[in-house]
């Protein structure tokens, strides 16, 4: 079987960007409410249904698809995304739109998990983490850069135009895979759930510890716009420009996280929590000073981007023999943590004021630090993955 791994890598990177763009409609809740003639609350549930679905289906969908031929799997999933988005564009019923949004989210974990596993196996020796990072960059770019594009199109031209660009992006990546991807077999052996691995102390501690990271980060990240408006008095186009800059720098953070893990994995996993907690403390202390707080938020953007790599790496390390399951759990932990962080952050803001988000974020990160410290230094859990190549 002959193929150029770089070509396949960049096609998959574009594809992960494409299927991540549905996450970028979070900035269009008011347009969604107007288009479907429904409440803001229902529109919010419509938006968040994608993330909640990924958090659940990431636990089992990837392994169900791991046995099938890879090119057909990718085409089938992207086809489901294209059809779902097409229906969403033209329907005026939010319940029909929600069904197709959830339907596409069901298959999202399979695409991402298989793409991550596939890239590990085709990567040249000693470049495995770099290939994984490129796929994670695709995830990051799709949701972060997609946010201002989708929001801008929705604000200027309306909901249907914004959804149309998402459909066209997905369609383009489907065509690229159909034309350029070779036929590559999946795992032919039947899959058995590795209960012993899932019951192990290492897996449980790693998963409980690592989910504290996206919870802590999400508590702060999702309420930064509100914090900047109410405390730092940053409004209108200035806020949009700054959030776009935050998104760009977090993409750099994803790249940096891959490089740091490849060189110093244990130190990165442990120190990350403390550095991020210190940044939150600084944001709390300098909340009334605009320039310092903006600099600290951008530093947090770098750390936020690094988190993708850290979560994926720890799950892949504790489940080295079942990479599809490990990558599926990574998606569940990431999206479940984000959803929990949004809910906890909302409770903190309503009950204790916006400044309490920093206290909440620090607490969850310190818990994550304790778990990582025990896992790595006390249990001495091996973190180096054993990558399997295709012949």
């Amino acid at each position: 079987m002959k193929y150029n791994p770089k070509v396949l890598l960049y096609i998959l990177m574009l594809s992960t960007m494409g299927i991540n763009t549905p996450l970028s409609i979070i900035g269009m809740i008011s347009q969604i409410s107007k288009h479907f003639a429904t409440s803001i609350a229902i529109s919010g549930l419509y938006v968040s249904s994608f993330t909640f679905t990924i958090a659940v289906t990431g636990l089992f969908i990837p392994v169900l698809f791991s046995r099938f031929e890879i090119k057909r799997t990718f085409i089938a999933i992207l086809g489901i995304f294209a059809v779902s988005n097409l229906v969403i564009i033209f329907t005026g019923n939010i319940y029909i739109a929600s069904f197709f949004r959830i339907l596409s989210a069901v298959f999202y974990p399979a695409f991402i998990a298989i793409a991550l596993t596939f890239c590990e196996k085709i990567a040249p020796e000693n470049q495995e983490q770099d290939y994984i990072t490129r796929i994670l960059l695709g995830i990051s770019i799709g949701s972060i850069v997609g946010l201002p594009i989708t929001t801008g199109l929705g604000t200027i031209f309306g909901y249907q135009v914004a959804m149309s660009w998402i459909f066209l992006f997905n369609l383009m990546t489907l065509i690229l895979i159909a034309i350029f991807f070779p036929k590559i077999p999946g795992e032919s052996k039947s899959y058995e759930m590795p209960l012993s691995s899932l019951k192990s102390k290492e897996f449980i501690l790693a998963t409980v510890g690592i989910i504290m990271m996206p919870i802590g980060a999400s508590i702060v990240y999702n309420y930064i716009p509100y914090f900047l408006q109410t405390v730092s008095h940053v409004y209108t186009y200035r806020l949009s420009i700054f959030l776009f800059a935050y998104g760009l720098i977090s993409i750099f953070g994803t790249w940096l996280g891959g490089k740091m893990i490849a060189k110093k994995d244990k130190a990165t996993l442990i120190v990350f929590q403390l550095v991020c907690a210190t940044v939150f403390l600084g944001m709390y202390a300098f909340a009334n000073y605009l320039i310092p707080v903006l600099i600290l938020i951008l530093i947090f953007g770098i750390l936020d981007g690094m988190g993708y790599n850290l979560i994926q790496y720890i799950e892949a390390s504790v489940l080295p023999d079942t990479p599809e399951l490990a990558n599926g759990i990574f998606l569940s932990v990431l999206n479940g943590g984000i959803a929990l962080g949004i809910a906890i952050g909302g409770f903190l803001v309503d009950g204790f004021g916006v400044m309490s988000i920093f206290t909440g974020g620090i607490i969850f990160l310190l818990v994550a630090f304790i778990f990582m410290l025990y896992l790595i230094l006390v249990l001495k859990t091996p973190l180096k993955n054993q990558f399997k190549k295709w012949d």
Side-chain angles (χ1 to χ4, degrees), residues 169-217:
F169 198 163
N170 281 292
L171 183 63
M172 177 194 71
T173 58
L174 189 158
I175 293 169
L176 286 173
I177 286 181
I179 293 173
F180 295 105
F181 244 72
K183 289 186 177 180
I184 301 171
E187 299 289 340
S188 59
K189 63 181 181 180
S190 60
Y191 177 79
E192 294 181 2
M193 186 66 76
L195 294 178
S196 59
S197 298
L198 296 180
K199 291 179 180 178
S200 70
K201 182 187 293 186
E202 289 79 8
F203 170 76
I204 294 171
L205 290 175
T207 302
V208 173
I210 210 71
I211 198 174
M212 299 297 167
M213 283 173 47
I215 292 175

Coordinates of all heavy atoms in Angstrom, one line a residue, residues 169-217:
F169 N -18.1 23.7 3.5 CA -16.8 23.3 4.0 C -16.8 21.7 4.2 O -15.8 21.1 3.8 CB -16.5 24.0 5.4 CG -15.1 23.9 5.8 CD1 -14.7 24.8 6.8 CD2 -14.2 23.1 5.2 CE1 -13.3 24.8 7.2 CE2 -12.8 23.1 5.6 CZ -12.4 24.0 6.6
N170 N -17.8 21.2 4.8 CA -17.9 19.7 4.9 C -18.0 19.0 3.6 O -17.3 18.0 3.4 CB -19.2 19.4 5.7 CG -19.0 19.6 7.2 OD1 -18.2 18.9 7.9 ND2 -19.7 20.5 7.8
L171 N -18.7 19.6 2.6 CA -18.8 19.0 1.3 C -17.4 18.9 0.6 O -17.0 18.0 0.0 CB -19.8 19.7 0.5 CG -20.1 19.2 -0.9 CD1 -20.6 17.8 -0.9 CD2 -21.0 20.1 -1.7
M172 N -16.7 20.0 0.8 CA -15.3 20.1 0.1 C -14.4 19.0 0.7 O -13.7 18.3 -0.1 CB -14.7 21.5 0.4 CG -13.3 21.6 -0.1 SD -12.4 23.1 0.5 CE -12.1 22.6 2.2
T173 N -14.4 18.8 2.0 CA -13.5 17.8 2.6 C -14.0 16.4 2.2 O -13.1 15.5 2.1 CB -13.5 18.0 4.1 OG1 -14.8 17.8 4.7 CG2 -12.9 19.3 4.5
L174 N -15.3 16.2 2.1 CA -15.8 14.9 1.6 C -15.2 14.6 0.2 O -14.8 13.4 0.0 CB -17.3 14.9 1.6 CG -18.0 13.6 1.4 CD1 -19.5 13.7 1.9 CD2 -18.1 13.2 -0.1
I175 N -15.2 15.6 -0.6 CA -14.7 15.4 -2.0 C -13.2 15.1 -2.0 O -12.7 14.2 -2.7 CB -15.1 16.6 -2.9 CG1 -16.6 16.7 -3.1 CG2 -14.4 16.5 -4.2 CD1 -17.0 18.0 -3.7
L176 N -12.5 15.8 -1.2 CA -11.0 15.6 -1.1 C -10.7 14.1 -0.6 O -9.8 13.5 -1.2 CB -10.4 16.6 -0.1 CG -10.3 18.0 -0.6 CD1 -9.8 18.9 0.6 CD2 -9.3 18.1 -1.7
I177 N -11.4 13.6 0.4 CA -11.2 12.3 0.8 C -11.6 11.3 -0.2 O -10.9 10.3 -0.5 CB -11.9 12.0 2.1 CG1 -11.2 12.7 3.3 CG2 -12.0 10.5 2.4 CD1 -11.8 12.5 4.7
A178 N -12.7 11.5 -0.9 CA -13.2 10.6 -1.9 C -12.2 10.5 -3.1 O -12.0 9.4 -3.7 CB -14.5 11.0 -2.5
I179 N -11.5 11.6 -3.4 CA -10.6 11.6 -4.6 C -9.2 11.1 -4.2 O -8.6 10.3 -4.9 CB -10.5 13.0 -5.2 CG1 -11.8 13.4 -5.8 CG2 -9.4 13.1 -6.2 CD1 -11.9 14.9 -6.3
F180 N -8.6 11.6 -3.1 CA -7.2 11.4 -2.8 C -6.9 10.3 -1.8 O -5.8 9.8 -1.7 CB -6.6 12.7 -2.3 CG -6.6 13.8 -3.3 CD1 -7.5 14.9 -3.2 CD2 -5.7 13.8 -4.3 CE1 -7.5 15.9 -4.1 CE2 -5.7 14.8 -5.3 CZ -6.6 15.8 -5.2
F181 N -7.9 9.8 -1.0 CA -7.6 8.8 0.0 C -7.5 7.4 -0.6 O -8.4 7.0 -1.4 CB -8.6 8.8 1.1 CG -8.1 9.2 2.5 CD1 -7.7 10.5 2.7 CD2 -8.0 8.3 3.5 CE1 -7.2 10.9 3.9 CE2 -7.5 8.6 4.7 CZ -7.1 10.0 4.9
P182 N -6.5 6.6 -0.2 CA -6.5 5.2 -0.7 C -7.5 4.4 0.2 O -7.9 4.8 1.3 CB -5.1 4.8 -0.4 CG -4.7 5.6 0.7 CD -5.4 6.9 0.6
K183 N -7.8 3.2 -0.2 CA -8.6 2.3 0.6 C -7.6 1.6 1.7 O -6.6 1.0 1.3 CB -9.2 1.2 -0.2 CG -10.4 1.7 -1.1 CD -11.1 0.5 -1.8 CE -12.3 1.1 -2.6 NZ -13.0 0.0 -3.3
I184 N -8.0 1.8 2.9 CA -7.2 1.3 4.0 C -8.0 0.5 5.0 O -9.0 1.0 5.5 CB -6.5 2.5 4.8 CG1 -5.6 3.3 3.8 CG2 -5.7 2.0 5.9 CD1 -5.1 4.6 4.4
P185 N -7.7 -0.7 5.2 CA -8.6 -1.6 6.1 C -8.5 -1.1 7.5 O -7.6 -0.5 8.0 CB -7.9 -3.0 5.9 CG -6.5 -2.7 5.6 CD -6.5 -1.5 4.7
G186 N -9.7 -1.3 8.2 CA -9.7 -1.1 9.6 C -9.2 -2.2 10.4 O -8.5 -3.1 9.9
E187 N -9.5 -2.3 11.7 CA -9.0 -3.4 12.5 C -10.0 -4.6 12.3 O -11.2 -4.5 12.6 CB -9.1 -3.0 14.0 CG -8.1 -1.9 14.3 CD -6.6 -2.3 14.3 OE1 -6.4 -3.5 14.3 OE2 -5.8 -1.4 14.2
S188 N -9.5 -5.7 11.7 CA -10.4 -6.8 11.3 C -10.9 -7.6 12.5 O -11.9 -8.2 12.4 CB -9.7 -7.7 10.3 OG -8.5 -8.2 10.9
K189 N -10.1 -7.6 13.5 CA -10.5 -8.4 14.7 C -11.7 -7.8 15.4 O -11.9 -6.6 15.4 CB -9.3 -8.6 15.6 CG -8.9 -7.3 16.3 CD -7.7 -7.5 17.2 CE -7.3 -6.2 17.9 NZ -6.2 -6.3 18.8
S190 N -12.5 -8.7 16.0 CA -13.7 -8.2 16.7 C -13.2 -7.5 18.0 O -12.2 -7.8 18.6 CB -14.6 -9.4 17.1 OG -13.9 -10.3 17.9
Y191 N -14.0 -6.5 18.4 CA -13.6 -5.7 19.5 C -14.1 -6.2 20.8 O -15.3 -6.6 20.9 CB -14.0 -4.2 19.3 CG -13.7 -3.3 20.4 CD1 -12.4 -2.8 20.6 CD2 -14.7 -3.0 21.4 CE1 -12.1 -2.0 21.7 CE2 -14.4 -2.2 22.4 CZ -13.1 -1.7 22.6 OH -12.8 -0.9 23.7
E192 N -13.3 -6.2 21.8 CA -13.8 -6.6 23.1 C -13.4 -5.4 24.1 O -12.3 -4.9 24.1 CB -13.1 -7.9 23.6 CG -13.5 -9.1 22.8 CD -12.8 -10.4 23.3 OE1 -12.1 -10.2 24.3 OE2 -13.0 -11.4 22.7
M193 N -14.4 -5.0 24.9 CA -14.2 -3.9 25.8 C -13.1 -4.3 26.8 O -13.3 -5.4 27.5 CB -15.5 -3.6 26.5 CG -15.4 -2.4 27.4 SD -15.1 -0.9 26.5 CE -16.8 -0.5 25.9
P194 N -12.0 -3.6 27.0 CA -11.0 -3.9 27.9 C -11.3 -3.6 29.3 O -10.8 -2.6 29.9 CB -9.8 -3.0 27.4 CG -10.5 -1.8 26.8 CD -11.8 -2.3 26.2
L195 N -12.2 -4.4 29.9 CA -12.7 -4.1 31.2 C -11.6 -4.0 32.3 O -11.6 -3.1 33.2 CB -13.7 -5.2 31.7 CG -15.0 -5.2 30.8 CD1 -15.9 -6.3 31.3 CD2 -15.7 -3.9 30.9
S196 N -10.5 -4.8 32.2 CA -9.5 -4.7 33.1 C -8.7 -3.4 33.1 O -8.4 -2.8 34.1 CB -8.4 -5.9 32.9 OG -7.9 -5.8 31.6
S197 N -8.6 -2.9 31.9 CA -7.9 -1.5 31.8 C -8.8 -0.4 32.3 O -8.4 0.5 32.9 CB -7.6 -1.3 30.3 OG -6.7 -2.2 29.8
L198 N -10.1 -0.5 32.0 CA -11.1 0.5 32.5 C -11.3 0.5 34.0 O -11.7 1.5 34.6 CB -12.4 0.3 31.8 CG -12.4 0.5 30.2 CD1 -13.8 0.3 29.7 CD2 -11.9 1.9 29.8
K199 N -11.0 -0.7 34.6 CA -11.1 -0.8 36.0 C -9.8 -0.5 36.8 O -9.8 -0.4 38.0 CB -11.6 -2.2 36.4 CG -13.0 -2.5 36.0 CD -13.3 -4.0 36.4 CE -14.8 -4.3 36.0 NZ -15.1 -5.8 36.4
S200 N -8.8 -0.3 36.0 CA -7.5 -0.1 36.7 C -7.4 1.2 37.4 O -8.1 2.2 37.0 CB -6.3 -0.1 35.6 OG -6.4 1.0 34.8
K201 N -6.6 1.3 38.5 CA -6.4 2.5 39.3 C -5.9 3.6 38.4 O -6.3 4.8 38.5 CB -5.5 2.2 40.4 CG -5.3 3.4 41.4 CD -4.2 3.1 42.4 CE -4.7 2.1 43.4 NZ -3.7 2.0 44.5
E202 N -5.0 3.3 37.5 CA -4.3 4.3 36.7 C -5.3 5.0 35.8 O -5.4 6.2 35.6 CB -3.2 3.7 35.8 CG -2.0 3.3 36.6 CD -2.1 1.9 37.3 OE1 -3.2 1.3 37.1 OE2 -1.3 1.6 38.1
F203 N -6.2 4.2 35.1 CA -7.2 4.7 34.2 C -8.2 5.6 35.0 O -8.5 6.7 34.5 CB -8.0 3.6 33.5 CG -9.1 4.1 32.7 CD1 -9.0 4.8 31.5 CD2 -10.4 4.0 33.2 CE1 -10.1 5.3 30.8 CE2 -11.5 4.5 32.5 CZ -11.3 5.1 31.3
I204 N -8.7 5.1 36.1 CA -9.7 5.9 36.9 C -9.1 7.2 37.4 O -9.7 8.3 37.2 CB -10.2 5.0 38.0 CG1 -11.0 3.8 37.5 CG2 -11.1 5.9 39.0 CD1 -11.4 2.8 38.6
L205 N -7.9 7.2 37.9 CA -7.3 8.4 38.5 C -6.9 9.3 37.3 O -7.1 10.6 37.5 CB -6.0 8.0 39.2 CG -6.2 7.3 40.6 CD1 -4.9 6.9 41.2 CD2 -7.0 8.2 41.5
A206 N -6.4 8.8 36.2 CA -6.1 9.7 35.1 C -7.3 10.4 34.5 O -7.3 11.6 34.3 CB -5.4 8.8 34.0
T207 N -8.4 9.6 34.4 CA -9.6 10.2 33.8 C -10.3 11.2 34.7 O -10.7 12.3 34.3 CB -10.6 9.1 33.4 OG1 -10.0 8.2 32.5 CG2 -11.9 9.7 32.8
V208 N -10.4 10.8 36.0 CA -11.0 11.8 37.0 C -10.1 13.0 37.1 O -10.6 14.2 37.2 CB -11.2 11.1 38.4 CG1 -11.6 12.1 39.4 CG2 -12.2 10.0 38.3
G209 N -8.8 12.8 37.1 CA -7.9 14.0 37.3 C -7.9 14.9 36.1 O -8.0 16.1 36.2
I210 N -7.9 14.2 34.9 CA -7.7 15.0 33.7 C -9.0 15.8 33.3 O -8.9 16.8 32.7 CB -7.2 14.1 32.5 CG1 -6.4 14.9 31.5 CG2 -8.4 13.5 31.8 CD1 -5.1 15.3 32.0
I211 N -10.2 15.3 33.7 CA -11.4 16.0 33.4 C -11.5 17.3 34.2 O -12.2 18.2 33.8 CB -12.7 15.1 33.6 CG1 -13.9 15.7 32.9 CG2 -13.0 15.0 35.1 CD1 -15.1 14.9 32.9
M212 N -10.7 17.4 35.3 CA -10.7 18.6 36.1 C -10.1 19.8 35.3 O -10.4 21.0 35.5 CB -9.9 18.5 37.3 CG -10.4 17.4 38.3 SD -12.1 17.8 38.9 CE -12.6 16.2 39.6
M213 N -9.3 19.5 34.3 CA -8.6 20.5 33.5 C -9.7 21.2 32.6 O -9.8 22.5 32.7 CB -7.5 19.9 32.6 CG -6.3 19.6 33.4 SD -5.1 18.7 32.4 CE -5.1 19.7 30.8
P214 N -10.4 20.5 31.7 CA -11.4 21.3 30.9 C -12.5 21.9 31.7 O -13.1 23.0 31.4 CB -12.0 20.2 30.0 CG -11.7 18.9 30.6 CD -10.4 19.1 31.4
I215 N -12.8 21.3 32.9 CA -13.8 22.0 33.8 C -13.3 23.3 34.3 O -14.0 24.3 34.1 CB -14.2 21.1 35.0 CG1 -15.0 19.8 34.5 CG2 -15.1 21.8 36.0 CD1 -15.3 18.8 35.6
G216 N -12.1 23.3 34.8 CA -11.5 24.5 35.3 C -11.3 25.6 34.3 O -11.6 26.8 34.5
A217 N -10.8 25.1 33.1 CA -10.6 26.1 32.0 C -11.9 26.6 31.5 O -12.0 27.8 31.2 CB -9.8 25.4 30.9

